[in-house]
Amino acid sequence: MSSKIHAVDEMLPAPRLLALGLQHVLVMYAGAVAVPLIVGRALKLPPEDVAFLISADLFACGVATLVQCLGFPGVGIRLPVIMGVTFASVSPMLAMAASPDIGLLGIYGSVIAAGLFAVVIAPFVSRLLPLFPPVVTGTIILVIGISLMRVGVNWAGGGLPTLTKVVDGVPGAFSNPAYGQLQGLGIALFVLLVILGLIKWGSGFISNVAVLLGIVAGAILAAALGVMHFEKVAAAPWVAIVLPLHFGAPKFQLVPIITMCIVMIVVMIESLGMFLALGEITGKTVDRDALTRGLRADGVGTLLGGLFNTFPYTSFSQNVGLVGVTGVRSRWVTIAGGGILLLLGLLPKMAALVEAVPLVVLGGAGLVMFGMVAATGARILTAVDFRNNRYNLFVVAISVGFGMIPLVSPNFFKQLPHDLHPLLESGILLSALVAVTLNAFFNGVGSKTAAEADAAAAAVTATH
């Protein structure tokens, strides 16, 4: 008696498997390397350390993907998923990076603790889903995109508009003479135009990797103009092992840990939607046990991320969308993609090349990449009933207002206890807490069935 193998478990021929796996990697590559670039440069790490963060991130992406897709007892949803660092963690980590008492080791301590927290609460997260209807998730994703736009705009400008210098023993802010130079703005505009042209006139796959191709085109132009340098690329080794705890023992501090645990709750709610959407796309039944295994893999991936010098992990939604576009439902394709990511993480020269790309090139791509996150939040909000339920307008308006506080007034909370700053200086966390609270106050808590349907529908339009 033979049983038919489900399309999710189908093993494709090796050449096709590798080609489709590489396609998944190319679709998510720009988003994957963005977070280590943002955090590494916010911490003012030397170029070789930023390059190491990129290698560590790709390596951990590969490991987390293999855990999620291959599956182990109690861990891994065994669906075609590619794991990557979530943008939801960027704003809190930038707030931590700005605190000398926390720094990179404090970030890693909070990531490790949040990973353990996610593993423990994975079976209970589905019960929280009714707290996150589209009016809440759409608002949070909108604020994530708006918060990241500041990074994209400063990249396009060539760095930060002001520099901190110590004069006569007193630190002060001074205008950055390199910011907003015409050549840099021209390169950023060139990258933006290339991306837009590829999106409009490119074929399906070319359109999907338009951001990555735009960065490549911008890097070629920057090299031709003499503003991209390759000394550190030449000096980087071809192969190196990513060792855990490369920067030292992590620091475990209460408020950063609480902050990152809140981030993980938001990330896991988003993952629930991804898994439910993948179940619909692939025709594979996703029951509560499967959801728990998938969420637990998010936690394991995040725990490994903290140990291997990187950040919180979640399912990348552009890869979920790619499964729907291509119709290839085999998880062995993303397993191949995970293997490719793992190998890329062992190639420091490749990471050094990414680190060498000028900020203005990344800025042109960042405007698209981060803007799309905000637009996705707005798109989710279009499904919200504002006409017959005026309370939803107040949920969005006030939550976005709170989310903007750290952006428009960085010193707004300076009189409050210093230990709370990593939480209060993250617009994403502020908007999430306010949106959940206001929605529960105005609209109450809906049913689990309706929440699952809403989450799956929202996941189809989501992007990172």
Side-chain angles (χ1 to χ4, degrees), residues 65-78 293 331 335:
T65 298
L66 294 177
V67 169
Q68 187 71 275
C69 298
L70 281 173
F72 299 92
V75 181
I77 198 167
R78 298 187 181 95
R293 293 197 314 270
R331 64 188 171 100
I335 289 171

Side-chain angles (χ1 to χ4, degrees), residues 39 43 93 96-97 102-112 311:
V39 176
L43 286 161
M93 290 193 297
M96 294 178 199
I102 301 174
L104 186 60
L105 296 178
I107 290 174
Y108 288 149
S110 69
V111 171
I112 291 170
F311 312 111

Side-chain angles (χ1 to χ4, degrees), residues 156 183-196 360 363-364 367:
Q183 184 185 62
L185 295 179
I187 294 173
L189 178 61
F190 170 77
V191 173
L192 177 61
L193 293 176
V194 169
I195 293 171
L196 294 178
V360 290
L367 292 175

Side-chain angles (χ1 to χ4, degrees), residues 148-281:
L148 289 170
M149 283 301 293
R150 174 178 56 176
V151 174
V153 169
N154 284 334
W155 278 356
L160 294 174
T162 57
L163 299 174
T164 301
K165 296 181 181 178
V166 178
V167 178
D168 297 329
V170 179
F174 298 86
S175 177
N176 181 359
Y179 189 81
Q181 290 189 350
L182 289 179
Q183 184 185 62
L185 295 179
I187 294 173
L189 178 61
F190 170 77
V191 173
L192 177 61
L193 293 176
V194 169
I195 293 171
L196 294 178
L198 291 173
I199 290 171
K200 181 171 176 61
W201 292 298
S203 63
F205 174 66
I206 296 297
S207 179
N208 282 330
V209 296
V211 172
L212 180 61
L213 294 177
I215 292 174
V216 171
I220 293 172
L221 176 62
L225 294 174
V227 295
M228 182 173 175
H229 307 288
F230 299 94
E231 294 84 0
K232 296 222 169 20
V233 180
W238 280 103
V239 179
I241 302 297
V242 177
L243 296 175
L245 306 180
H246 172 84
F247 295 98
K251 297 193 298 185
F252 298 94
Q253 297 164 295
L254 182 60
V255 174
I257 288 173
I258 293 173
T259 301
M260 200 58 72
C261 287
I262 295 173
V263 169
M264 280 308 297
I265 291 174
V266 174
V267 167
M268 292 169 83
I269 293 294
E270 189 179 1
S271 289
L272 273 178
M274 296 294 169
F275 298 149
L276 292 168
L278 259 180
E280 293 290 330
I281 292 169

